[in-house]
Amino acid sequence: MAWGRTTAAVLLGMALGSGAAADTTLTREYFIGFWGIGGSDECLTRDTMSFYDSGAWAVTNGGGNPVEAIGLWQLDGTTVKIIASDIESTAQFDILEAQISDVTVDSFTMVAEPLQGGKAPLYRCS
């Protein structure tokens, strides 16, 4: 599975502009939860990403559709590392190391070359 193919599209959808920086501290606990990919009003209709306390990670195909990609994640400073596998082919996986920028209380931007446009914003879903 290649990031340029299914995973990149599923993982982060269409990249948008970045938000304003804030004095939010970037910790592992900050990531735990359910994030919309693209815009804050799209949590129920677009792709979503979930970071779990156990180190598990998942992406849905939007609109309440089933999980499409699974994996593991870890934070190292301002870099998040995701080991991802398409749900239909779990024996194959990709590794994405993305820099985290534009951190606010409820949003951040992932920056990595394999992502569409090189970056993608995520917004905390309630």
Side-chain angles (χ1 to χ4, degrees), residues 9-79:
V10 168
L11 182 67
L12 297 170
M14 186 170 73
L16 302 174
S18 57
D23 57 356
T24 301
T25 303
L26 191 61
T27 64
R28 187 176 187 284
E29 291 74 25
Y30 169 83
F31 285 90
I32 306 302
F34 182 60
W35 298 84
I37 303 169
S40 58
D41 59 338
E42 300 170 343
C43 286
L44 297 177
T45 61
R46 297 271 317 256
D47 292 349
T48 60
M49 185 182 300
S50 296
F51 294 87
Y52 297 95
D53 189 38
S54 65
W57 169 91
V59 169
T60 64
N61 193 18
N65 290 329
V67 172
E68 189 162 319
I70 58 172
L72 302 170
W73 74 280
Q74 71 180 53
L75 179 66
D76 183 12
T78 60
T79 301

Side-chain angles (χ1 to χ4, degrees), residues 8 12-19 37-38 98-99 101-102 108-122:
L12 297 170
M14 186 170 73
L16 302 174
S18 57
I37 303 169
Q99 290 295 310
S101 67
D102 303 319
F108 66 92
T109 300
M110 293 180 79
V111 180
E113 187 178 312
L115 305 176
Q116 184 176 349
K119 63 182 176 179
L122 282 84

